[in-house]
Amino acid sequence: MSGAADREAVFPTRQSLGIMKAKLKGAETGHSLLKRKSEALTKRFREITRRIDEAKRKMGRVMQIASLSLAEVTYAVGGNIGYQIQESAKSARFRIRAKQENVSGVLLPAFESYQTEGNNDFAMTGLGKGGQQVQRCRETYARAVEALVELASLQTAFVILDEVIKVVNRRVNAIEHVIIPRTENTIKYINSELDELDREEFYRLKKVAGKKQRDTAEQDAEMKARKEAQAAAADEQNQAPNAAADDAPADLLAAEEDEDVIF
Amino acid sequence: MASQADYKDRQFLAVIGDEDSVTGLLLAGIGHVTSPPDNQKNFLVVDAKTETSAIESTFEKFTTERKDIGIVLINQHIADRIRYRIDTYTQAFPTVLEIPSKDHPYDPEKDSVLRRVRRLFGE
């Protein structure tokens, strides 16, 4: 019956029934824990996706302002400074640092921007004219990059959380739809097999009891017959002397008593 | 979850963009050139003449070879040219971020991450 359903390969014994029951309980606990973890992560995930959406729009605006200030620089300097800047870039002033944040056991990295002091690759840029615009442009872009860094850490968290949520949900589903039903099936199978064994045992015992009863009855009957035979034999022996003794003294009484001798 | 260990020493940003974007970001101070023997820049200026294969190899270099880059900024219209590479890029580190450029307004529909965001919200 339950042989067709998916179950684990175990012998149907009481010991494995106990193991299976413990396993089912463990699976249920694990399932509820994982489910809660997945819910916590999903909550965080939704928050992050919402913030990404906002941050992306904000980035669009910030970058627009930044390009405008760059256009101001180009106008003020009176020529393209791109080449000069590309050539004079040597060491990054604007750097990022990664730190970790723990969300129910998942380590989410977050970037943090910082500026190293004291190295300025563009000290000479805009020396002739437009120095103020260059300065302002640098500040604007620094703010823009800060927004970008924030967005990047949100996005990293998004990618990692996405992956982790997938894994957790897969586990939850595996426990819910594979492990728990299979363990339940195994328990059912073991129970049915044990019941079957019980019934078999009961039937066997009944058979044995019946046979014993019959044997006893037979023995009883045999015994009885033997006893009767013995009794009859004894009677006969008793009768013979009695008859011989009674014959002589009381003829009249003996005639009536004769009936009793044969039972 | 592959690269949780090596994020510590990622401290630079990288840019692939048109001249204006790169100039602006360099002004902000993200430009970095590694020490003399190899002299690797962390930025690439792309114009109409730049080959797509060059963009692709630079993207490859920034995302897989260099271990000191934490964020790769790429102009959206340039990302469009190597869209298939960006869409199949799923690593957490370095993060790839599409940014708008001066000539090309930002279109949230094209962004590979925003598309995933939208899909998750069922829009």
Side-chain angles (χ1 to χ4, degrees):
Chain A
M1 36 178 270
S2 63
D6 184 26
R7 63 173 167 79
E8 280 169 50
V10 289
F11 287 111
T13 58
R14 285 199 194 277
Q15 191 190 8
S16 51
L17 180 67
I19 293 172
M20 280 300 136
K21 276 189 175 160
K23 193 174 170 184
L24 182 64
K25 204 160 176 228
E28 270 161 5
T29 316
H31 178 253
S32 82
L33 280 175
L34 277 176
K35 191 117 195 168
R36 257 183 277 167
K37 178 178 177 181
S38 150
E39 271 157 19
L41 290 179
T42 312
K43 180 172 171 282
R44 188 54 182 260
F45 188 65
R46 290 196 170 270
E47 192 190 312
I48 285 177
T49 44
R50 194 173 46 75
R51 274 166 61 192
I52 283 185
D53 213 28
E54 272 168 28
K56 284 258 175 183
R57 283 163 212 285
K58 183 180 155 203
M59 172 189 80
R61 287 197 303 276
V62 170
M63 288 305 283
Q64 210 174 357
I65 296 167
S67 336
L68 192 68
S69 78
L70 184 67
E72 266 175 41
V73 169
T74 319
Y75 180 71
V77 175
N80 207 336
I81 57 165
Y83 186 73
Q84 186 197 348
I85 284 170
Q86 282 164 39
E87 284 309 303
S88 53
K90 285 284 169 290
S91 167
R93 191 166 66 95
F94 199 104
R95 299 184 184 199
I96 49 174
R97 201 183 349 225
K99 57 182 177 23
Q100 282 183 325
E101 204 182 342
N102 197 339
V103 180
S104 29
V106 183
L107 295 175
L108 293 180
F111 293 116
E112 192 183 21
S113 54
Y114 68 100
Q115 306 203 358
T116 51
E117 296 302 323
N119 64 342
N120 189 353
D121 295 336
F122 311 115
M124 298 302 168
T125 310
L127 193 63
K129 46 185 178 173
Q132 208 180 1
Q133 275 80 4
V134 170
Q135 195 58 36
R136 203 178 318 139
C137 181
R138 282 175 56 179
E139 279 161 19
T140 323
Y141 262 100
R143 273 204 299 280
V145 174
E146 266 166 36
L148 290 179
V149 168
E150 197 194 322
L151 180 55
S153 49
L154 282 178
Q155 199 174 303
T156 316
F158 172 83
V159 172
I160 290 180
L161 264 187
D162 190 30
E163 201 174 325
V164 171
I165 286 177
K166 263 186 222 156
V167 170
V168 170
N169 280 346
R170 211 174 300 148
R171 276 191 203 151
V172 169
N173 287 341
I175 289 181
E176 194 176 334
H177 297 293
V178 178
I179 293 180
I180 288 184
R182 182 194 285 181
T183 316
E184 276 171 352
N185 264 339
T186 315
I187 288 176
K188 228 185 279 170
Y189 161 75
I190 292 175
N191 270 334
S192 77
E193 286 292 299
L194 285 179
D195 281 356
E196 184 67 32
L197 280 181
D198 272 355
R199 274 197 296 278
E200 236 168 63
E201 184 70 11
F202 182 67
Y203 183 70
R204 197 176 67 83
L205 284 178
K206 231 165 74 173
K207 273 280 195 204
V208 168
K211 176 92 167 73
K212 262 190 185 158
Q213 220 167 16
R214 251 182 296 131
D215 283 357
T216 338
E218 231 166 72
Q219 271 174 357
D220 278 359
E222 205 176 307
M223 198 83 102
K224 207 171 170 187
R226 208 179 296 155
K227 261 188 195 156
E228 271 170 29
Q230 269 179 357
D235 274 352
E236 244 163 70
Q237 274 185 348
N238 281 349
Q239 201 114 41
N242 271 0
D246 283 347
D247 266 352
D251 261 344
L252 284 173
L253 284 172
E256 270 179 40
E257 297 275 316
D258 260 358
E259 290 291 312
D260 283 358
V261 172
I262 301 156
F263 290 103
Chain B
M1 299 296 295
S3 48
Q4 291 237 326
D6 66 349
Y7 68 93
K8 277 283 178 210
D9 41 303
R10 297 186 181 273
Q11 51 170 344
F12 299 121
L13 295 101
V15 203
I16 302 174
D18 59 14
E19 190 169 1
D20 282 337
S21 306
V22 173
T23 307
L25 291 167
L26 290 187
L27 264 182
I30 66 165
H32 191 86
V33 181
T34 50
S35 45
D38 39 348
N39 269 338
Q40 282 186 323
K41 293 173 180 173
N42 68 339
F43 52 90
L44 174 73
V45 177
V46 175
D47 52 26
K49 293 194 288 286
T50 312
E51 300 269 333
T52 308
S53 59
I55 303 172
E56 210 179 324
S57 68
T58 310
F59 180 76
E60 197 77 26
K61 195 173 79 196
F62 286 164
T63 51
T64 53
E65 277 173 40
R66 291 191 58 169
K67 298 290 175 211
D68 55 350
I69 291 176
I71 304 174
V72 177
L73 302 170
I74 182 164
N75 270 143
Q76 199 175 34
H77 69 278
I78 294 162
D80 280 342
R81 288 171 65 177
I82 54 165
R83 178 57 62 192
Y84 60 98
R85 283 287 294 123
I86 308 250
D87 279 348
T88 50
Y89 179 82
T90 49
Q91 273 168 255
F93 287 105
T95 312
V96 173
L97 200 57
E98 291 176 32
I99 57 171
S101 63
K102 204 172 72 178
D103 312 321
H104 300 77
Y106 188 66
D107 181 6
E109 296 306 316
K110 283 184 187 160
D111 193 306
S112 54
V113 171
L114 264 194
R115 268 208 309 243
R116 275 165 75 185
V117 171
R118 306 226 156 204
R119 203 172 57 225
L120 286 164
F121 276 130
E123 281 170 24

